[in-house]
Amino acid sequence: MGAATSDAPRAWRTVLEHIEQQLLDGALRPGDRLPGERALSAELGVGRSSAREALRVLEVLGLIRTAAGSGPNSGAIIIATPGGGMSALMRLQVAASGFPVADIVRTRLILESSVAGDLADAAPAADLSAADLLLDAMDSPDLAPTEFLALDAAFHLALAEASGNQVITATMAGLRSGIEGYALEGVSAIADWSATSTRLRTEHRGIVEAIRAADAATARSRTHDHISGYYAETFPPSSPSGPSAPTATPSPASTTPESPA
Amino acid sequence: MGAATSDAPRAWRTVLEHIEQQLLDGALRPGDRLPGERALSAELGVGRSSAREALRVLEVLGLIRTAAGSGPNSGAIIIATPGGGMSALMRLQVAASGFPVADIVRTRLILESSVAGDLADAAPAADLSAADLLLDAMDSPDLAPTEFLALDAAFHLALAEASGNQVITATMAGLRSGIEGYALEGVSAIADWSATSTRLRTEHRGIVEAIRAADAATARSRTHDHISGYYAETFPPSSPSGPSAPTATPSPASTTPESPA
DNA sequence: TAGCACGTGTGGTCAGACCACAGGAGGGAG
DNA sequence: CTCCCTCCTGTGGTCTGACCACACGTGCTA
């Protein structure tokens, strides 16, 4: 042995597909332990290194968690944490120029505006306590920009989580990771951080307020303006991010009032 | 050697971070060739298998393309094809129950409605020729459901591409992949395929028509209804996809006419 | 009975060896 | 001089075997 017999597909792909199939069949469920690497490779007739390559992919994608040692917590365990995989994907794609930053911002605009609107419309009012906590934490007067930004990201994510849509939550986590580097850089472009953070805090509360008031249109437009405003300030005029400006995206409810009056 | 000295982070992660850093620094750009696996591992002081694990991750994430042999086309080459990675991620997350199908559909609703609206509002009218071609192809009377569905997916993707937002395009490709299996299964749940496909064709043309007429609100609502309608038909009442029905999401412009009259 | 030492299995990593393949360099035939 | 064929080289792809660090369980010991 030692080589691919030409007609066979890549060995690691075999492993990946095998596990995917078992997941689809229900033979493998979240919380379950995968066979050990040695067993898995023997079972599928591939080398351990090939099996490991597949497991590595699953790990980065957020499907499994691995731990050495013995006992029930060791080995590869199925977990579905899409956020991690999404973050890695977005981050690397941005690094490789596959995702223009402007497109990420535009996508945030769409997703978050929609989330805010849905939250306001939610029949049984969504639980915003997590967001409230973050809002309070952000009021600490002596927060470094980095800390503030982390709380800010967590706040936006908390809204997504409150909406209950796991796909959007994971996507937003990924989008945020993708532009995290730029966000940190951007802080230096802000003239008066104190004023900016105060404004951001006010806008955050305004969004939550609109959601609580079940005013979807306002929640949407405030979210849109909040995000586009921040990026307009962070990425001054000639940001080499892409051909068009992030704020160019017409939001579903930004300039269109359609107020509930 | 042969083992991790406990304090060191995982070797493959070292490789991954090294490459990411080079991408961020601009030392590595799309189209460039990575060092060979042997050189890379030597350079970073890790084993070749560890370097390979990192490369495998990059490959699945759509960042590199690998080819054996020699010459300029061999080796690992930086490519930024987010769609592939996104598809793998979504597909596996769905398989692992990390992404409820209902959430994926809801996300499609948001993204595609928004795309259709933006397309209609686009200052220089977007190029819809690719979508037109697919529309014509879908008119072939003797298309198998599978073929029709493939064209249908391509049509929706073409609209996203026309919008020029690469993040949305890749995300939509991923979302589609995630529910592809369910879509194929769902065909059998459709009583009169001929009638359904005719309806879908009509709806598609209606969407494009609204976009061409620069009627954003109609484009949005038609897109929303098109998608939610299809899934309502494909996943009859008691689909075990999630706690709430996909159509429960209030679209920005679905039931709210705000017609241009 | 309480505590500790050892065995065992797991992931993590490395080193070395082949294979298949694609391309280029070189020599030989025309 | 030109063209074609052959061999060589480098690349990814894979397998095997080995060792390390670690966490757990078992069972012996005090």
Side-chain angles (χ1 to χ4, degrees):
Chain A
M1 326 201 177
T5 23
S6 150
D7 56 340
R10 305 251 265 297
W12 60 271
R13 199 159 269 291
T14 304
V15 180
L16 212 50
E17 281 163 9
H18 176 254
I19 294 176
E20 180 178 359
Q21 195 53 53
Q22 289 208 304
L23 284 170
L24 289 172
D25 291 346
L28 239 34
R29 308 177 51 70
D32 288 355
R33 291 185 44 180
L34 258 57
E37 297 178 351
R38 295 164 178 84
L40 192 60
S41 57
E43 182 184 336
L44 297 178
V46 302
R48 184 155 80 114
S49 41
S50 295
R52 279 182 61 74
E53 291 181 15
L55 293 176
R56 194 82 320 113
V57 169
L58 291 175
E59 183 178 344
V60 170
L61 257 36
L63 264 101
I64 64 173
R65 163 183 81 69
T66 63
S70 93
N73 289 335
S74 71
I77 292 166
I78 309 264
I79 55 169
T81 38
M86 203 62 102
S87 295
L89 176 54
M90 299 271 188
R91 211 158 29 79
L92 286 164
Q93 285 292 348
V94 169
S97 317
F99 280 162
V101 173
D103 284 3
I104 291 198
V105 175
R106 281 201 210 97
T107 309
R108 274 196 68 184
L109 242 25
I110 296 171
L111 252 23
E112 301 207 36
S113 296
S114 178
V115 162
D118 289 0
L119 243 25
D121 282 334
D127 176 22
L128 300 179
S129 56
D132 285 331
L133 255 53
L134 289 162
L135 243 26
D136 291 340
M138 272 187 275
D139 280 339
S140 293
D142 52 353
L143 278 177
T146 308
E147 297 172 306
F148 185 88
L149 249 33
L151 290 171
D152 179 291
F155 167 73
H156 286 266
L157 211 54
L159 291 186
E161 272 165 16
S163 83
N165 188 320
Q166 301 193 40
V167 174
I168 292 186
T169 302
T171 304
M172 275 179 46
L175 293 174
R176 214 276 165 178
S177 297
I179 54 178
E180 190 159 37
Y182 292 81
L184 294 179
E185 273 181 31
V187 171
S188 57
I190 295 175
D192 185 352
W193 170 255
S194 170
T196 297
S197 66
T198 300
R199 177 171 58 75
L200 294 179
R201 280 197 294 267
T202 305
E203 291 177 354
H204 285 160
R205 297 217 179 256
I207 291 170
V208 172
E209 177 194 323
I211 292 173
R212 284 229 161 80
D215 183 349
T218 302
R220 260 194 275 273
S221 68
R222 283 185 181 169
T223 301
H224 180 277
D225 296 345
H226 168 62
I227 297 176
S228 65
Y230 180 70
Y231 281 105
E233 184 175 17
T234 308
F235 303 125
S238 62
S239 92
S241 307
S244 42
T247 53
T249 303
S251 114
S254 165
T255 50
T256 311
E258 70 174 87
S259 65
Chain B
M1 328 221 166
T5 23
S6 154
D7 57 340
R10 305 252 264 300
W12 60 271
R13 197 160 270 290
T14 303
V15 180
L16 211 51
E17 282 163 10
H18 173 74
I19 294 176
E20 181 178 358
Q21 195 52 53
Q22 289 208 304
L23 285 169
L24 290 171
D25 292 345
L28 240 35
R29 307 179 52 69
D32 288 354
R33 291 185 46 180
L34 258 56
E37 296 178 351
R38 295 164 179 83
L40 193 59
S41 58
E43 182 184 337
L44 296 178
V46 301
R48 183 152 81 114
S49 40
S50 294
R52 278 182 63 71
E53 290 180 15
L55 292 175
R56 195 85 315 114
V57 168
L58 291 176
E59 184 178 344
V60 171
L61 257 35
L63 264 101
I64 63 173
R65 163 183 82 69
T66 63
S70 92
N73 289 335
S74 70
I77 292 167
I78 309 266
I79 55 170
T81 39
M86 203 62 103
S87 296
L89 176 55
M90 299 273 188
R91 211 156 30 79
L92 285 165
Q93 285 292 349
V94 169
S97 317
F99 280 162
V101 173
D103 285 1
I104 290 197
V105 175
R106 281 200 211 99
T107 309
R108 273 195 68 186
L109 242 25
I110 295 171
L111 252 23
E112 301 208 33
S113 297
S114 177
V115 162
D118 288 358
L119 244 25
D121 281 334
D127 176 21
L128 300 179
S129 55
D132 284 332
L133 255 53
L134 288 163
L135 242 26
D136 291 340
M138 273 187 272
D139 280 339
S140 293
D142 52 353
L143 279 177
T146 307
E147 298 171 306
F148 184 89
L149 250 33
L151 289 172
D152 179 290
F155 167 74
H156 286 266
L157 212 55
L159 291 185
E161 273 165 15
S163 82
N165 188 320
Q166 301 192 40
V167 174
I168 292 186
T169 302
T171 304
M172 276 178 48
L175 293 174
R176 214 277 167 176
S177 296
I179 54 178
E180 190 159 37
Y182 292 80
L184 293 177
E185 274 181 30
V187 171
S188 58
I190 296 175
D192 185 351
W193 170 255
S194 169
T196 296
S197 65
T198 300
R199 178 171 57 75
L200 294 179
R201 280 197 294 267
T202 305
E203 292 178 352
H204 285 160
R205 297 214 179 259
I207 291 169
V208 172
E209 178 194 323
I211 292 174
R212 283 229 162 78
D215 183 349
T218 302
R220 262 193 275 271
S221 69
R222 282 185 182 169
T223 300
H224 180 277
D225 295 346
H226 167 64
I227 297 175
S228 66
Y230 180 70
Y231 281 104
E233 184 174 18
T234 308
F235 302 124
S238 62
S239 92
S241 307
S244 41
T247 54
T249 302
S251 113
S254 163
T255 50
T256 310
E258 70 173 86
S259 64

